[in-house]
Amino acid sequence: MNKLLACILVFFLVQCLTWFQLNGQFFSSWFKNNNLILCLFGIPISWLYIIATRYGYEAFDGILWPGRLLGFSMGMLTFAIFTWIFMSEGINTKTVVSLVLATALVCIQIFWK
């Protein structure tokens, strides 16, 4: 259970960092004007993706798919939340359905044995 929690937390963290790396340019002049620095942030971000994938692999007894779907779902959740908070893009019905499906994917991977 510790590896699963670590997988979820690291995927959440790295998805947050990725969101800022890619989308910060649309609301911050610093992000827009410092592309090289943002590219360099790709190194620790990649390392965190590797760590999260390892935790997921270990949490699911050597199976890759559940961890991959957790990473995808964390990306959906963070993208929806951060885009709403930082870009003022509302969450419409289509987004709600997508988030419900992402949550269902996580629940299936965690609870379906």
Side-chain angles (χ1 to χ4, degrees), residues 9 18 22 24 31 44 47 50 53 55 58 64 77 80 83 95 97 102 104 110:
L9 291 175
T18 300
L22 299 176
F31 281 92
W47 179 75
I50 292 167
T53 301
Y55 284 145
E58 292 171 0
L64 282 173
L77 293 171
T83 302
T95 304
V97 170
I110 292 173

Side-chain angles (χ1 to χ4, degrees), residues 15-50:
Q15 292 288 358
C16 292
L17 295 172
T18 300
W19 191 93
F20 282 108
Q21 182 189 35
L22 299 176
N23 300 305
Q25 64 181 319
F26 302 121
F27 62 86
S28 168
S29 60
W30 186 90
F31 281 92
K32 190 174 188 173
N33 297 324
N34 289 287
N35 289 334
L36 183 59
I37 294 171
L38 291 172
C39 288
L40 294 174
F41 285 150
I43 295 170
I45 287 172
S46 295
W47 179 75
L48 287 170
Y49 276 117
I50 292 167

Side-chain angles (χ1 to χ4, degrees), residues 60-76:
F60 291 104
D61 300 320
I63 300 172
L64 282 173
W65 270 109
R68 173 64 188 108
L69 293 173
L70 279 177
F72 164 76
S73 298
M74 291 296 101
M76 289 288 297

Side-chain angles (χ1 to χ4, degrees), residues 8 13 75 85 89 92 97 105 113:
I8 292 169
L13 170 66
I85 292 171
E89 291 185 23
N92 59 24
V97 170
L105 283 173
K113 299 294 177 185

